Short mmCIF file of all heavy atoms in Angstrom, two decimals:
data_model
loop_
_atom_site.label_atom_id
_atom_site.label_comp_id
_atom_site.label_asym_id
_atom_site.label_seq_id
_atom_site.Cartn_x
_atom_site.Cartn_y
_atom_site.Cartn_z
N MET F 1 -31.47 -12.16 146.93
CA MET F 1 -31.22 -10.80 146.52
C MET F 1 -32.56 -10.11 146.26
O MET F 1 -33.44 -10.67 145.62
CB MET F 1 -30.35 -10.76 145.26
CG MET F 1 -30.00 -9.37 144.80
SD MET F 1 -29.13 -9.38 143.24
CE MET F 1 -27.49 -9.02 143.81
N ALA F 2 -32.71 -8.89 146.75
CA ALA F 2 -33.95 -8.15 146.60
C ALA F 2 -34.15 -7.72 145.14
O ALA F 2 -33.19 -7.44 144.42
CB ALA F 2 -33.94 -6.93 147.49
N GLU F 3 -35.41 -7.67 144.74
CA GLU F 3 -35.74 -7.23 143.39
C GLU F 3 -35.50 -5.72 143.26
O GLU F 3 -35.85 -4.96 144.16
CB GLU F 3 -37.21 -7.53 143.08
CG GLU F 3 -37.63 -7.12 141.70
CD GLU F 3 -39.10 -7.38 141.43
OE1 GLU F 3 -39.77 -8.01 142.27
OE2 GLU F 3 -39.57 -6.93 140.38
N ILE F 4 -34.91 -5.33 142.17
CA ILE F 4 -34.66 -3.91 141.90
C ILE F 4 -35.78 -3.41 141.00
O ILE F 4 -36.03 -3.96 139.93
CB ILE F 4 -33.30 -3.70 141.22
CG1 ILE F 4 -32.17 -4.18 142.13
CG2 ILE F 4 -33.10 -2.25 140.82
CD1 ILE F 4 -30.81 -4.18 141.48
N LYS F 5 -36.45 -2.36 141.45
CA LYS F 5 -37.52 -1.77 140.66
C LYS F 5 -37.01 -0.47 140.07
O LYS F 5 -36.26 0.26 140.71
CB LYS F 5 -38.74 -1.51 141.55
CG LYS F 5 -39.34 -2.78 142.10
CD LYS F 5 -40.54 -2.48 142.95
CE LYS F 5 -41.06 -3.79 143.53
NZ LYS F 5 -42.23 -3.60 144.36
N PHE F 6 -37.42 -0.20 138.84
CA PHE F 6 -37.00 1.03 138.18
C PHE F 6 -38.11 1.54 137.28
O PHE F 6 -38.97 0.80 136.82
CB PHE F 6 -35.73 0.81 137.36
CG PHE F 6 -35.90 -0.13 136.20
CD1 PHE F 6 -36.26 0.36 134.95
CD2 PHE F 6 -35.71 -1.50 136.35
CE1 PHE F 6 -36.42 -0.51 133.87
CE2 PHE F 6 -35.87 -2.37 135.29
CZ PHE F 6 -36.22 -1.86 134.05
N GLU F 7 -38.10 2.86 137.09
CA GLU F 7 -39.02 3.50 136.16
C GLU F 7 -38.24 4.53 135.37
O GLU F 7 -37.70 5.48 135.94
CB GLU F 7 -40.17 4.17 136.90
CG GLU F 7 -41.16 4.83 135.99
CD GLU F 7 -42.28 5.56 136.72
OE1 GLU F 7 -42.33 5.51 137.97
OE2 GLU F 7 -43.08 6.21 136.03
N ILE F 8 -38.17 4.32 134.07
CA ILE F 8 -37.49 5.27 133.20
C ILE F 8 -38.44 6.44 132.98
O ILE F 8 -39.51 6.29 132.42
CB ILE F 8 -37.07 4.63 131.86
CG1 ILE F 8 -36.07 3.51 132.11
CG2 ILE F 8 -36.49 5.69 130.92
CD1 ILE F 8 -35.70 2.70 130.89
N LYS F 9 -38.02 7.62 133.45
CA LYS F 9 -38.84 8.82 133.35
C LYS F 9 -38.66 9.50 131.99
O LYS F 9 -39.59 10.08 131.45
CB LYS F 9 -38.50 9.81 134.46
CG LYS F 9 -38.67 9.27 135.87
CD LYS F 9 -40.12 9.11 136.19
CE LYS F 9 -40.31 8.77 137.67
NZ LYS F 9 -41.71 8.69 138.03
N GLU F 10 -37.43 9.47 131.48
CA GLU F 10 -37.12 10.11 130.20
C GLU F 10 -35.90 9.45 129.59
O GLU F 10 -34.96 9.11 130.30
CB GLU F 10 -36.87 11.60 130.43
CG GLU F 10 -36.75 12.41 129.17
CD GLU F 10 -36.70 13.90 129.43
OE1 GLU F 10 -36.93 14.34 130.57
OE2 GLU F 10 -36.40 14.64 128.47
N THR F 11 -35.92 9.27 128.28
CA THR F 11 -34.77 8.77 127.55
C THR F 11 -34.24 9.92 126.69
O THR F 11 -34.98 10.49 125.90
CB THR F 11 -35.15 7.57 126.66
OG1 THR F 11 -35.66 6.53 127.49
CG2 THR F 11 -33.95 7.06 125.88
N PHE F 12 -32.96 10.25 126.87
CA PHE F 12 -32.36 11.37 126.15
C PHE F 12 -31.74 10.95 124.83
O PHE F 12 -31.63 11.75 123.93
CB PHE F 12 -31.32 12.06 127.04
CG PHE F 12 -31.93 12.63 128.28
CD1 PHE F 12 -31.76 11.98 129.49
CD2 PHE F 12 -32.68 13.78 128.24
CE1 PHE F 12 -32.33 12.50 130.65
CE2 PHE F 12 -33.26 14.30 129.39
CZ PHE F 12 -33.08 13.65 130.60
N GLY F 13 -31.32 9.68 124.74
CA GLY F 13 -30.75 9.21 123.49
C GLY F 13 -29.77 8.07 123.70
O GLY F 13 -29.39 7.77 124.83
N ALA F 14 -29.40 7.46 122.59
CA ALA F 14 -28.46 6.34 122.60
C ALA F 14 -27.10 6.81 122.09
O ALA F 14 -27.03 7.59 121.13
CB ALA F 14 -28.98 5.20 121.74
N LEU F 15 -26.05 6.35 122.76
CA LEU F 15 -24.69 6.67 122.32
C LEU F 15 -24.18 5.67 121.32
O LEU F 15 -23.38 6.00 120.44
CB LEU F 15 -23.75 6.71 123.53
CG LEU F 15 -23.73 7.98 124.36
CD1 LEU F 15 -25.02 8.17 125.11
CD2 LEU F 15 -22.56 7.98 125.28
N SER F 16 -24.61 4.42 121.47
CA SER F 16 -24.15 3.36 120.57
C SER F 16 -25.09 2.17 120.67
O SER F 16 -25.93 2.10 121.56
CB SER F 16 -22.72 2.94 120.91
OG SER F 16 -22.67 2.41 122.22
N GLN F 17 -24.90 1.22 119.74
CA GLN F 17 -25.67 -0.02 119.76
C GLN F 17 -24.72 -1.18 119.53
O GLN F 17 -23.86 -1.13 118.64
CB GLN F 17 -26.76 -0.02 118.69
CG GLN F 17 -27.67 -1.23 118.77
CD GLN F 17 -28.80 -1.15 117.77
OE1 GLN F 17 -28.56 -1.22 116.57
NE2 GLN F 17 -30.02 -1.03 118.27
N SER F 18 -24.86 -2.22 120.35
CA SER F 18 -24.00 -3.40 120.21
C SER F 18 -24.50 -4.29 119.08
O SER F 18 -25.61 -4.12 118.58
CB SER F 18 -23.98 -4.20 121.52
OG SER F 18 -25.20 -4.90 121.69
N SER F 19 -23.68 -5.26 118.72
CA SER F 19 -24.07 -6.21 117.67
C SER F 19 -25.27 -7.06 118.09
O SER F 19 -25.96 -7.63 117.25
CB SER F 19 -22.89 -7.11 117.31
OG SER F 19 -22.47 -7.83 118.45
N LYS F 20 -25.54 -7.14 119.39
CA LYS F 20 -26.69 -7.90 119.89
C LYS F 20 -27.94 -7.03 120.02
O LYS F 20 -28.97 -7.50 120.49
CB LYS F 20 -26.35 -8.52 121.24
CG LYS F 20 -25.25 -9.56 121.13
CD LYS F 20 -24.95 -10.20 122.46
CE LYS F 20 -23.84 -11.22 122.28
NZ LYS F 20 -23.52 -11.91 123.53
N GLY F 21 -27.86 -5.76 119.63
CA GLY F 21 -29.01 -4.89 119.64
C GLY F 21 -29.22 -4.09 120.91
O GLY F 21 -30.21 -3.37 121.03
N TRP F 22 -28.30 -4.22 121.87
CA TRP F 22 -28.41 -3.44 123.11
C TRP F 22 -27.92 -2.02 122.85
O TRP F 22 -26.94 -1.81 122.14
CB TRP F 22 -27.58 -4.08 124.21
CG TRP F 22 -28.16 -5.33 124.79
CD1 TRP F 22 -28.69 -6.39 124.10
CD2 TRP F 22 -28.28 -5.66 126.17
NE1 TRP F 22 -29.12 -7.35 124.96
CE2 TRP F 22 -28.88 -6.93 126.25
CE3 TRP F 22 -27.93 -5.02 127.33
CZ2 TRP F 22 -29.14 -7.56 127.45
CZ3 TRP F 22 -28.19 -5.64 128.54
CH2 TRP F 22 -28.78 -6.89 128.59
N ASN F 23 -28.61 -1.04 123.44
CA ASN F 23 -28.24 0.37 123.30
C ASN F 23 -27.62 0.90 124.58
O ASN F 23 -28.12 0.63 125.67
CB ASN F 23 -29.47 1.23 122.99
CG ASN F 23 -29.99 1.01 121.61
OD1 ASN F 23 -29.24 0.78 120.67
ND2 ASN F 23 -31.30 1.07 121.47
N LYS F 24 -26.55 1.67 124.44
CA LYS F 24 -25.99 2.42 125.56
C LYS F 24 -26.74 3.74 125.58
O LYS F 24 -26.62 4.54 124.66
CB LYS F 24 -24.49 2.65 125.38
CG LYS F 24 -23.84 3.27 126.61
CD LYS F 24 -22.34 3.33 126.44
CE LYS F 24 -21.81 1.98 126.09
NZ LYS F 24 -20.96 1.27 126.90
N GLU F 25 -27.59 3.95 126.63
CA GLU F 25 -28.51 5.08 126.66
C GLU F 25 -28.30 5.96 127.89
O GLU F 25 -27.96 5.48 128.96
CB GLU F 25 -29.96 4.58 126.71
CG GLU F 25 -30.38 3.78 125.50
CD GLU F 25 -31.82 3.30 125.60
OE1 GLU F 25 -32.53 3.66 126.56
OE2 GLU F 25 -32.23 2.55 124.70
N LEU F 26 -28.56 7.25 127.68
CA LEU F 26 -28.64 8.19 128.79
C LEU F 26 -30.12 8.38 129.10
O LEU F 26 -30.91 8.75 128.22
CB LEU F 26 -28.01 9.53 128.43
CG LEU F 26 -28.08 10.61 129.52
CD1 LEU F 26 -27.31 10.17 130.77
CD2 LEU F 26 -27.56 11.93 129.00
N THR F 27 -30.50 8.08 130.35
CA THR F 27 -31.89 8.19 130.77
C THR F 27 -31.98 8.93 132.10
O THR F 27 -30.98 9.12 132.80
CB THR F 27 -32.54 6.79 130.96
OG1 THR F 27 -31.83 6.09 131.99
CG2 THR F 27 -32.54 5.99 129.67
N LEU F 28 -33.19 9.33 132.43
CA LEU F 28 -33.53 9.82 133.75
C LEU F 28 -34.37 8.71 134.36
O LEU F 28 -35.42 8.35 133.81
CB LEU F 28 -34.31 11.13 133.67
CG LEU F 28 -34.63 11.81 135.00
CD1 LEU F 28 -33.33 12.23 135.70
CD2 LEU F 28 -35.52 13.02 134.77
N ILE F 29 -33.91 8.14 135.46
CA ILE F 29 -34.52 6.92 135.98
C ILE F 29 -34.70 7.00 137.50
O ILE F 29 -33.87 7.58 138.19
CB ILE F 29 -33.67 5.69 135.58
CG1 ILE F 29 -34.37 4.39 135.87
CG2 ILE F 29 -32.31 5.74 136.21
CD1 ILE F 29 -33.71 3.18 135.22
N SER F 30 -35.80 6.44 137.95
CA SER F 30 -36.06 6.33 139.38
C SER F 30 -35.81 4.88 139.79
O SER F 30 -36.41 3.96 139.24
CB SER F 30 -37.52 6.71 139.69
OG SER F 30 -37.83 6.43 141.03
N TRP F 31 -34.90 4.69 140.75
CA TRP F 31 -34.59 3.36 141.27
C TRP F 31 -35.34 3.15 142.58
O TRP F 31 -35.23 3.95 143.50
CB TRP F 31 -33.09 3.20 141.52
CG TRP F 31 -32.28 3.27 140.27
CD1 TRP F 31 -31.54 4.32 139.81
CD2 TRP F 31 -32.11 2.24 139.30
NE1 TRP F 31 -30.93 4.01 138.63
CE2 TRP F 31 -31.26 2.73 138.29
CE3 TRP F 31 -32.60 0.93 139.18
CZ2 TRP F 31 -30.89 1.98 137.18
CZ3 TRP F 31 -32.21 0.18 138.07
CH2 TRP F 31 -31.37 0.70 137.09
N ASN F 32 -36.13 2.08 142.64
CA ASN F 32 -36.86 1.71 143.86
C ASN F 32 -37.69 2.87 144.43
O ASN F 32 -37.76 3.07 145.64
CB ASN F 32 -35.90 1.17 144.93
CG ASN F 32 -35.23 -0.11 144.47
OD1 ASN F 32 -35.86 -0.97 143.89
ND2 ASN F 32 -33.94 -0.21 144.71
N GLY F 33 -38.32 3.64 143.54
CA GLY F 33 -39.22 4.71 143.95
C GLY F 33 -38.55 5.97 144.47
O GLY F 33 -39.21 6.86 144.97
N LYS F 34 -37.23 6.05 144.34
CA LYS F 34 -36.50 7.22 144.84
C LYS F 34 -36.45 8.32 143.79
O LYS F 34 -36.89 8.15 142.66
CB LYS F 34 -35.08 6.81 145.26
CG LYS F 34 -35.08 5.86 146.44
CD LYS F 34 -33.69 5.53 146.88
CE LYS F 34 -33.74 4.56 148.06
NZ LYS F 34 -32.44 4.10 148.45
N GLU F 35 -35.88 9.46 144.20
CA GLU F 35 -35.72 10.61 143.32
C GLU F 35 -35.01 10.19 142.02
O GLU F 35 -33.99 9.48 142.07
CB GLU F 35 -34.88 11.67 144.04
CG GLU F 35 -34.61 12.92 143.25
CD GLU F 35 -35.72 13.93 143.38
OE1 GLU F 35 -36.53 13.83 144.32
OE2 GLU F 35 -35.77 14.82 142.53
N PRO F 36 -35.53 10.60 140.86
CA PRO F 36 -34.88 10.23 139.59
C PRO F 36 -33.47 10.81 139.49
O PRO F 36 -33.20 11.90 139.97
CB PRO F 36 -35.78 10.84 138.53
CG PRO F 36 -37.09 11.06 139.19
CD PRO F 36 -36.77 11.33 140.63
N LYS F 37 -32.59 10.02 138.86
CA LYS F 37 -31.21 10.43 138.61
C LYS F 37 -30.87 10.12 137.16
O LYS F 37 -31.54 9.35 136.50
CB LYS F 37 -30.25 9.69 139.54
CG LYS F 37 -30.43 10.05 141.00
CD LYS F 37 -29.39 9.38 141.86
CE LYS F 37 -29.57 9.80 143.31
NZ LYS F 37 -28.56 9.19 144.16
N TYR F 38 -29.79 10.73 136.70
CA TYR F 38 -29.31 10.47 135.34
C TYR F 38 -28.54 9.16 135.34
O TYR F 38 -27.83 8.84 136.29
CB TYR F 38 -28.44 11.63 134.86
CG TYR F 38 -29.25 12.90 134.76
CD1 TYR F 38 -29.33 13.78 135.82
CD2 TYR F 38 -29.97 13.18 133.61
CE1 TYR F 38 -30.09 14.93 135.75
CE2 TYR F 38 -30.74 14.33 133.52
CZ TYR F 38 -30.80 15.19 134.60
OH TYR F 38 -31.57 16.32 134.53
N ASP F 39 -28.71 8.39 134.28
CA ASP F 39 -28.18 7.05 134.25
C ASP F 39 -27.64 6.74 132.86
O ASP F 39 -28.29 7.03 131.86
CB ASP F 39 -29.31 6.07 134.60
CG ASP F 39 -28.82 4.67 134.84
OD1 ASP F 39 -28.32 4.40 135.94
OD2 ASP F 39 -28.94 3.85 133.91
N LEU F 40 -26.45 6.15 132.82
CA LEU F 40 -25.83 5.75 131.55
C LEU F 40 -25.51 4.27 131.66
O LEU F 40 -24.72 3.86 132.51
CB LEU F 40 -24.56 6.56 131.31
CG LEU F 40 -23.82 6.31 130.00
CD1 LEU F 40 -24.70 6.66 128.80
CD2 LEU F 40 -22.54 7.11 129.97
N ARG F 41 -26.18 3.45 130.82
CA ARG F 41 -25.95 2.00 130.84
C ARG F 41 -26.47 1.36 129.56
O ARG F 41 -27.17 1.99 128.78
CB ARG F 41 -26.59 1.34 132.06
CG ARG F 41 -28.08 1.23 132.05
CD ARG F 41 -28.64 0.57 133.32
NE ARG F 41 -28.29 1.35 134.49
CZ ARG F 41 -27.48 0.92 135.48
NH1 ARG F 41 -27.00 -0.30 135.45
NH2 ARG F 41 -27.19 1.69 136.49
N ASP F 42 -26.12 0.08 129.38
CA ASP F 42 -26.62 -0.70 128.26
C ASP F 42 -28.00 -1.27 128.59
O ASP F 42 -28.22 -1.74 129.72
CB ASP F 42 -25.67 -1.87 127.95
CG ASP F 42 -24.35 -1.40 127.36
OD1 ASP F 42 -24.34 -0.36 126.69
OD2 ASP F 42 -23.33 -2.08 127.57
N TRP F 43 -28.89 -1.21 127.62
CA TRP F 43 -30.25 -1.74 127.77
C TRP F 43 -30.56 -2.68 126.62
O TRP F 43 -30.22 -2.41 125.47
CB TRP F 43 -31.27 -0.60 127.74
CG TRP F 43 -31.25 0.25 128.96
CD1 TRP F 43 -30.59 1.43 129.13
CD2 TRP F 43 -31.94 -0.01 130.18
NE1 TRP F 43 -30.81 1.92 130.39
CE2 TRP F 43 -31.65 1.06 131.05
CE3 TRP F 43 -32.77 -1.03 130.63
CZ2 TRP F 43 -32.16 1.12 132.34
CZ3 TRP F 43 -33.29 -0.95 131.90
CH2 TRP F 43 -32.98 0.11 132.75
N ALA F 44 -31.27 -3.76 126.95
CA ALA F 44 -31.81 -4.64 125.92
C ALA F 44 -32.88 -3.86 125.15
O ALA F 44 -33.39 -2.84 125.65
CB ALA F 44 -32.42 -5.89 126.57
N PRO F 45 -33.25 -4.31 123.95
CA PRO F 45 -34.15 -3.53 123.09
C PRO F 45 -35.45 -3.06 123.75
O PRO F 45 -35.89 -1.95 123.50
CB PRO F 45 -34.44 -4.49 121.93
CG PRO F 45 -33.21 -5.33 121.84
CD PRO F 45 -32.75 -5.51 123.26
N GLN F 46 -36.08 -3.84 124.57
CA GLN F 46 -37.35 -3.45 125.20
C GLN F 46 -37.18 -3.02 126.65
O GLN F 46 -38.15 -2.99 127.41
CB GLN F 46 -38.35 -4.61 125.10
CG GLN F 46 -38.60 -5.11 123.69
CD GLN F 46 -39.16 -4.03 122.78
OE1 GLN F 46 -40.17 -3.44 123.10
NE2 GLN F 46 -38.49 -3.76 121.67
N HIS F 47 -35.97 -2.72 127.05
CA HIS F 47 -35.63 -2.35 128.43
C HIS F 47 -36.01 -3.46 129.43
O HIS F 47 -36.24 -3.18 130.59
CB HIS F 47 -36.28 -1.01 128.84
CG HIS F 47 -35.73 0.14 128.07
ND1 HIS F 47 -36.52 0.90 127.25
CD2 HIS F 47 -34.49 0.67 128.00
CE1 HIS F 47 -35.78 1.85 126.69
NE2 HIS F 47 -34.53 1.71 127.13
N GLU F 48 -36.02 -4.71 128.96
CA GLU F 48 -36.35 -5.81 129.86
C GLU F 48 -35.13 -6.30 130.65
O GLU F 48 -35.27 -6.93 131.68
CB GLU F 48 -36.99 -6.98 129.10
CG GLU F 48 -36.07 -7.76 128.18
CD GLU F 48 -35.86 -7.17 126.79
OE1 GLU F 48 -36.28 -6.03 126.54
OE2 GLU F 48 -35.28 -7.88 125.95
N LYS F 49 -33.94 -5.99 130.15
CA LYS F 49 -32.69 -6.34 130.83
C LYS F 49 -31.75 -5.15 130.72
O LYS F 49 -31.86 -4.34 129.80
CB LYS F 49 -32.03 -7.56 130.19
CG LYS F 49 -32.79 -8.85 130.37
CD LYS F 49 -32.01 -10.00 129.75
CE LYS F 49 -32.78 -11.29 129.88
NZ LYS F 49 -32.05 -12.40 129.28
N MET F 50 -30.81 -5.08 131.69
CA MET F 50 -29.86 -3.98 131.68
C MET F 50 -28.47 -4.49 132.01
O MET F 50 -28.32 -5.53 132.65
CB MET F 50 -30.27 -2.92 132.70
CG MET F 50 -30.16 -3.39 134.13
SD MET F 50 -30.85 -2.25 135.32
CE MET F 50 -32.54 -2.78 135.34
N GLY F 51 -27.49 -3.75 131.57
CA GLY F 51 -26.11 -4.03 131.93
C GLY F 51 -25.67 -3.11 133.06
O GLY F 51 -26.45 -2.31 133.57
N LYS F 52 -24.42 -3.24 133.44
CA LYS F 52 -23.88 -2.35 134.47
C LYS F 52 -23.79 -0.94 133.92
O LYS F 52 -23.61 -0.74 132.72
CB LYS F 52 -22.50 -2.83 134.91
CG LYS F 52 -22.55 -4.13 135.67
CD LYS F 52 -21.17 -4.52 136.14
CE LYS F 52 -21.25 -5.83 136.90
NZ LYS F 52 -19.93 -6.26 137.37
N GLY F 53 -23.93 0.02 134.81
CA GLY F 53 -23.89 1.40 134.38
C GLY F 53 -23.47 2.32 135.49
O GLY F 53 -22.99 1.88 136.54
N VAL F 54 -23.68 3.60 135.26
CA VAL F 54 -23.36 4.62 136.25
C VAL F 54 -24.56 5.54 136.40
O VAL F 54 -25.21 5.90 135.42
CB VAL F 54 -22.08 5.40 135.87
CG1 VAL F 54 -22.23 6.13 134.57
CG2 VAL F 54 -21.67 6.34 136.96
N THR F 55 -24.88 5.89 137.65
CA THR F 55 -26.00 6.77 137.97
C THR F 55 -25.44 8.04 138.58
O THR F 55 -24.58 7.98 139.47
CB THR F 55 -26.97 6.07 138.95
OG1 THR F 55 -27.43 4.86 138.33
CG2 THR F 55 -28.16 6.94 139.26
N LEU F 56 -25.91 9.19 138.09
CA LEU F 56 -25.37 10.49 138.49
C LEU F 56 -26.48 11.44 138.92
O LEU F 56 -27.55 11.46 138.32
CB LEU F 56 -24.61 11.13 137.32
CG LEU F 56 -23.49 10.32 136.70
CD1 LEU F 56 -23.08 10.92 135.36
CD2 LEU F 56 -22.31 10.27 137.63
N THR F 57 -26.18 12.26 139.92
CA THR F 57 -27.07 13.36 140.27
C THR F 57 -26.92 14.45 139.21
O THR F 57 -25.99 14.42 138.39
CB THR F 57 -26.71 13.95 141.65
OG1 THR F 57 -25.41 14.54 141.55
CG2 THR F 57 -26.76 12.90 142.75
N ALA F 58 -27.81 15.43 139.24
CA ALA F 58 -27.71 16.54 138.29
C ALA F 58 -26.37 17.27 138.45
O ALA F 58 -25.73 17.63 137.45
CB ALA F 58 -28.88 17.50 138.48
N ASP F 59 -25.94 17.48 139.70
CA ASP F 59 -24.65 18.16 139.93
C ASP F 59 -23.48 17.34 139.38
O ASP F 59 -22.54 17.91 138.79
CB ASP F 59 -24.44 18.42 141.41
CG ASP F 59 -25.33 19.54 141.94
OD1 ASP F 59 -25.82 20.36 141.13
OD2 ASP F 59 -25.53 19.60 143.17
N GLU F 60 -23.52 16.04 139.56
CA GLU F 60 -22.45 15.18 139.03
C GLU F 60 -22.45 15.20 137.51
O GLU F 60 -21.38 15.21 136.88
CB GLU F 60 -22.61 13.75 139.55
CG GLU F 60 -22.34 13.61 141.02
CD GLU F 60 -22.74 12.27 141.59
OE1 GLU F 60 -23.69 11.63 141.07
OE2 GLU F 60 -22.10 11.84 142.56
N LEU F 61 -23.63 15.20 136.89
CA LEU F 61 -23.72 15.24 135.44
C LEU F 61 -23.17 16.55 134.90
O LEU F 61 -22.45 16.57 133.89
CB LEU F 61 -25.17 15.03 134.98
CG LEU F 61 -25.37 14.89 133.48
CD1 LEU F 61 -24.68 13.63 132.95
CD2 LEU F 61 -26.85 14.85 133.15
N LYS F 62 -23.46 17.66 135.58
CA LYS F 62 -22.91 18.96 135.17
C LYS F 62 -21.39 18.97 135.27
O LYS F 62 -20.70 19.48 134.39
CB LYS F 62 -23.50 20.07 136.03
CG LYS F 62 -24.95 20.35 135.72
CD LYS F 62 -25.51 21.38 136.68
CE LYS F 62 -27.00 21.54 136.51
NZ LYS F 62 -27.57 22.45 137.53
N LYS F 63 -20.85 18.39 136.34
CA LYS F 63 -19.40 18.32 136.51
C LYS F 63 -18.77 17.45 135.41
O LYS F 63 -17.73 17.81 134.84
CB LYS F 63 -19.06 17.76 137.89
CG LYS F 63 -17.59 17.64 138.18
CD LYS F 63 -16.92 19.00 138.24
CE LYS F 63 -15.45 18.84 138.60
NZ LYS F 63 -14.73 20.09 138.56
N LEU F 64 -19.42 16.34 135.08
CA LEU F 64 -18.94 15.49 134.00
C LEU F 64 -18.96 16.25 132.68
O LEU F 64 -17.99 16.18 131.90
CB LEU F 64 -19.79 14.22 133.89
CG LEU F 64 -19.45 13.27 132.75
CD1 LEU F 64 -18.01 12.78 132.84
CD2 LEU F 64 -20.43 12.10 132.71
N ARG F 65 -20.02 17.00 132.42
CA ARG F 65 -20.10 17.82 131.21
C ARG F 65 -18.92 18.78 131.14
O ARG F 65 -18.26 18.92 130.11
CB ARG F 65 -21.41 18.60 131.19
CG ARG F 65 -21.54 19.55 130.00
CD ARG F 65 -22.55 20.64 130.22
NE ARG F 65 -22.19 21.43 131.39
CZ ARG F 65 -23.06 22.14 132.11
NH1 ARG F 65 -24.34 22.13 131.81
NH2 ARG F 65 -22.65 22.83 133.15
N ASP F 66 -18.65 19.45 132.27
CA ASP F 66 -17.55 20.41 132.30
C ASP F 66 -16.20 19.72 132.05
O ASP F 66 -15.35 20.25 131.32
CB ASP F 66 -17.52 21.13 133.65
CG ASP F 66 -18.74 22.02 133.86
OD1 ASP F 66 -19.45 22.32 132.87
OD2 ASP F 66 -18.98 22.40 135.02
N LEU F 67 -16.00 18.55 132.65
CA LEU F 67 -14.76 17.80 132.43
C LEU F 67 -14.61 17.40 130.97
O LEU F 67 -13.53 17.51 130.38
CB LEU F 67 -14.72 16.56 133.32
CG LEU F 67 -14.57 16.80 134.82
CD1 LEU F 67 -14.79 15.51 135.58
CD2 LEU F 67 -13.21 17.38 135.13
N LEU F 68 -15.71 16.95 130.36
CA LEU F 68 -15.66 16.55 128.95
C LEU F 68 -15.40 17.74 128.04
O LEU F 68 -14.67 17.63 127.05
CB LEU F 68 -16.97 15.85 128.55
CG LEU F 68 -17.20 14.48 129.19
CD1 LEU F 68 -18.61 13.98 128.88
CD2 LEU F 68 -16.17 13.48 128.72
N ASN F 69 -16.00 18.87 128.37
CA ASN F 69 -15.78 20.08 127.56
C ASN F 69 -14.32 20.53 127.60
O ASN F 69 -13.85 21.17 126.66
CB ASN F 69 -16.70 21.21 128.02
CG ASN F 69 -18.11 21.03 127.52
OD1 ASN F 69 -18.37 20.35 126.56
ND2 ASN F 69 -19.05 21.66 128.23
N ASP F 70 -13.62 20.22 128.67
CA ASP F 70 -12.21 20.61 128.81
C ASP F 70 -11.25 19.66 128.11
O ASP F 70 -10.07 19.97 127.96
CB ASP F 70 -11.82 20.71 130.29
CG ASP F 70 -12.45 21.91 130.98
OD1 ASP F 70 -12.89 22.86 130.27
OD2 ASP F 70 -12.51 21.93 132.23
N LEU F 71 -11.75 18.51 127.67
CA LEU F 71 -10.88 17.55 126.98
C LEU F 71 -10.56 18.04 125.58
O LEU F 71 -11.40 18.62 124.89
CB LEU F 71 -11.56 16.18 126.88
CG LEU F 71 -11.73 15.40 128.16
CD1 LEU F 71 -12.47 14.09 127.87
CD2 LEU F 71 -10.40 15.10 128.81
N ASP F 72 -9.36 17.76 125.15
CA ASP F 72 -8.94 18.12 123.79
C ASP F 72 -9.08 16.88 122.91
O ASP F 72 -8.09 16.17 122.66
CB ASP F 72 -7.49 18.63 123.82
CG ASP F 72 -7.05 19.15 122.47
OD1 ASP F 72 -7.90 19.56 121.67
OD2 ASP F 72 -5.82 19.12 122.23
N ILE F 73 -10.30 16.64 122.45
CA ILE F 73 -10.54 15.45 121.60
C ILE F 73 -11.15 15.86 120.28
O ILE F 73 -11.66 16.92 120.11
CB ILE F 73 -11.45 14.41 122.29
CG1 ILE F 73 -12.74 15.04 122.79
CG2 ILE F 73 -10.72 13.74 123.42
CD1 ILE F 73 -13.74 14.06 123.39
#
């Protein structure tokens, strides 16, 4: 399996923290040198390991924002 390279360009904040110290964070990240995208996933404390997550373009993030704003929660 090929090595995945990433560079976190900006961290916007953490939504939660697990009992093991991993944070669910929203970041702007470049995968394998490509255009940065918005990313939501679990990260180990020093960003040395990551869990599964979802990566979104700016348009997808705006659509998600709109969908969340329409929820009655």
Side-chain angles (χ1 to χ4, degrees):
M1 182 186 255
E3 181 182 353
I4 298 172
K5 296 180 182 180
F6 65 91
E7 181 182 357
I8 297 174
K9 302 289 189 176
E10 189 172 351
T11 300
F12 298 103
L15 279 68
S16 62
Q17 186 176 67
S18 74
S19 60
K20 295 182 180 181
W22 286 46
N23 289 325
K24 187 174 306 245
E25 297 179 5
L26 178 63
T27 62
L28 184 64
I29 190 167
S30 172
W31 295 102
N32 297 318
K34 294 183 181 174
E35 179 85 18
K37 294 185 178 181
Y38 296 92
D39 190 80
L40 183 62
R41 72 181 61 245
D42 290 330
W43 288 96
Q46 304 300 305
H47 294 117
E48 71 276 10
K49 292 183 182 179
M50 67 188 87
K52 291 183 180 180
V54 62
T55 302
L56 304 166
T57 65
D59 287 339
E60 291 169 331
L61 187 64
K62 288 175 188 175
K63 180 66 177 175
L64 177 60
R65 176 200 59 204
D66 294 344
L67 291 170
L68 291 172
N69 282 339
D70 289 342
L71 290 178
D72 185 26
I73 52 176

